[in-house]
Amino acid sequence: MTGVKICGLQELEHIKAVNGADAAGFVFAPSHRRISVEKAARLAAELPEGIEKIGVFVNSGLQEILEAVEKVPLTMVQLHGDEPDELIRSIPVKTIQAFSIREQQDVEKLNRSIADFVLVDAPGTRFRGGSGKTFDWSLLAEASVAPGRLIVAGGLDAGNVRSAIDALGPYMVDVSSGVETEGKKDAAKIKKFIETVKGDSMQQAEGTKEETGFFGRFGGQFVPETLMKAVKELEAAYAEAKEDPEFQKTYYDYLKEYVGREQPLTFAARLTEAWGGPKVYLKREDLNHTGAHKINNAIGQALLAIRMGKRKIVAETGAGQHGVATATICALLDLECVIFMGEEDIKRQQLNVFRMKLLGAKVESVTKGSATLKDAVNEALRYWVANVEDTHYLIGSALGPHPFPTMVRDFQSVIGRETRVQILEKEGRLPDVILACVGGGSNAIGMFHPFIADESVRLIGVEAAGEGVDTDRHAATLTKGTEGVLHGSYMKLLQDENGQVQEAHSISAGLDYPGVGPEHVHLEDIGRIQYKAVTDEEALASVISLSRLEGIIPALESAHAVAEAEKTAAGMGPEEILVICVSGRGDKDMATYADKLEGLA
Amino acid sequence: MKRLETLKDDGGKAFVAYIMAGDGGLDKLRGQVETLQRSGVTAIEVGIPFSDPVADGPVIEEAGNRALKEGVTLDKVLLEMKSWDFEVKIPLIVMTYLNPVIRYGAERFAESCREAGVSAVIIPDLPFEHQRLVAPYLKKAEIMLVQLVTLTTTENRLHDILQEAEGFVYAVTVTGITGVRDEMTEEVKSFMKTVRAKSPVPVYAGFGISKLEHVDLLRDDVDGFVVGSAIVKAFHEGEFDGIQPLIDAVTLQHPV
């Protein structure tokens, strides 16, 4: 449902009327609606919970913006000047960039914006509904901005806002003068405006409101009562941290200074040529410190654990990449670290086991069940249950009880956000297809999430078909699985007809899991993301092609995405763009490569 | 189930015995239930094996794995119970993880439980928040859904959970998984007191109850005990007689 932003609030008496709106705007730029940061802070304190507090600036310096963000505190920043991208990147909260749309060139600027949202303003005109000629909204048809990022402003009032919504379906509508009488806000008009936008759907929305922690029907908190307190505490702590600019800043500082972000979006010239289809770009998560995307999440959660006063970390690992990332960040932040790893995985990932030990982590071998990732999660959960008061469970994928799937996605979304900005810089438009491999699904959801609202972008998740989806040795949960509950979440599982969870199989230890993150299941369910499966053989072949054509030896997991990309590219034209998330590098798989690809030279 | 509800008033302490259905073969289940019934236990929890029993310790997990190897399923256990022609005088409770129930179908599960003479159900990974996935069907079949509370349950939650409690409340004595333990602390004692003061139904302590000392420490603060791993172990090792003193210590009136 379309959100409402009431902008230019100055008086306490109007604050109450804002109830039911989604955002309140405070103007810090020269205007007759301008107020001081101190006054805004006092007003903000009176706002109902959950309302976005947006500060409006025109060409202010970063210092001034940061000060307002902290003091009010603001949850979003709206920029109306010619702010450079560097400034926008430095703002620790979500950003809105405003554009006055007069001509085609304005739309192009809008398309290039790196802000989280773009606000379109009809300068000095009034919106008159479908037949309105004063402002040509059809200009926006050229915009590549997803409706989910669009905020519409300019001359809106209770009389015309419905037609604006019908025409553009924006994320939010922004009103200021339309709810004023003689230049002052009018509580009755504010109320009327909100009612018009929300209409009868308000009550309906209450009834159909998604429960916290669910993606459609999937997700939830299916854990024993012993863990509920910890899960609820984590939920609250993360909700707070997410909104805390200081936390976000620390997190991004580590990504930059320690992980080495941002990572390039490399144009793969030889792959493009070899495939003879679209332009191929590679998002280089393989260049992260520790060799894969896992560290993005490990840092975020470790910082959160410290914030919660917990200095002991337990984690599970399959391929060992998440274990290494966790052990690494625990070493850096002086946290105690226990990693559970299946005995089978320990055998196939010797190098990573030694890395973890070298970093000071305790690696516990799990011999139960299939002795792989699923069983390692079981043991990590048991350990957490027994040590819940002082221990954080640092889950490595977008799995587990809420808030884990959301939190892991958020920490991994840096992949997709960077990619979005980079492709707009390089190509001036969004890609046609993006592919990522899916085990539990953390690199994929991180890559895809910033593009979910962009319907023109085809998103393809690639699962492990192992020895083939028609054999019983695969890990293709979305392709072959059925609904069920495992490890705290309602999702899809590989299970038998009696609800016993089955062993997954893949040559790649990181994809060898019989479940898949609940958000993926939902996005498949609503048809937004397609999921394909790639066999061990196909993945190995792609290891060779990426190595020899681009000089990049990918992890086995990432090679699955490359293999499916080759198939997808076959049906695409040279004017199209395809992006592959190379989630990790192949160092850890060298023993497997040496074994399976022997005689290659 | 009447007996479970009235125990609070008659002065005795309840002893709920947990067994893993099909440990040693599904044909063993009947004999185990008969043995327990003769031994004077108050009710029997019939555990359904599951591939990923995260709330259970090694004893019950291994028993479950043995049962799975025997090909035991939720369906087979309920059919077996339905077929019994001997007189079951005490309440039977099914304890299962959620996934087998979802796969079986919650409505069908409730109906099959009713046909099998089951009085109550415990689902350890179905938290209070999500109970409507199963609870309405159980209610329709007149089967109780037993609530669990733990040392980490916050006060507000405790209040909400106890309001919905039926049959008895399963009060978990440890922060951890099921299993035989040596120690039982004062913290547990005061937790039991709190729960009992607020609960509209009897409070049974479970997880880690394996010794007379545990019973002695808690007996004044609870209405009964749930014993799992110790029983499962006794049956597996063929030494059920060794458990009788524990059952007697709970169910028979002792001078305290």
Side-chain angles (χ1 to χ4, degrees), chain A residues 35-58:
Chain A
I35 61 171
S36 68
V37 169
E38 290 69 29
K39 180 90 184 272
R42 284 199 297 280
L43 295 181
E46 301 297 324
L47 280 168
E49 239 175 87
I51 291 193
E52 301 280 0
K53 295 178 266 292
I54 303 177
V56 179
F57 303 85
V58 178

Side-chain angles (χ1 to χ4, degrees), chain A residues 211 225 378 382 485 500, chain B residues 51-53 99 130 132 157:
Chain A
E211 278 174 273
E225 179 60 26
N378 288 347
R382 288 185 177 118
V485 168
Q500 305 297 342
Chain B
S51 53
D52 298 83
N99 197 52
H130 298 332
R132 60 183 170 68
R157 267 181 82 76

Side-chain angles (χ1 to χ4, degrees), chain A residues 152-172:
Chain A
V152 176
L156 295 176
D157 58 33
N160 63 20
V161 66
R162 285 264 31 131
S163 355
I165 291 171
D166 291 344
L168 298 164
Y171 171 75
M172 195 180 269

Side-chain angles (χ1 to χ4, degrees), chain A residues 221-228 231 381 384 401 487-488, chain B residues 124-127:
Chain A
Q221 295 177 318
F222 294 93
V223 293
E225 179 60 26
T226 322
L227 281 180
M228 280 311 281
V231 166
L381 275 169
W384 195 30
H487 298 149
Chain B
D125 58 345
L126 178 66

Side-chain angles (χ1 to χ4, degrees), chain A residues 4-7 9 18 21-25 51-54 76 172:
Chain A
V4 175
K5 177 185 165 214
I6 309 290
C7 204
L9 290 160
V18 175
D22 304 276
I51 291 193
E52 301 280 0
K53 295 178 266 292
I54 303 177
M76 288 172 105
M172 195 180 269

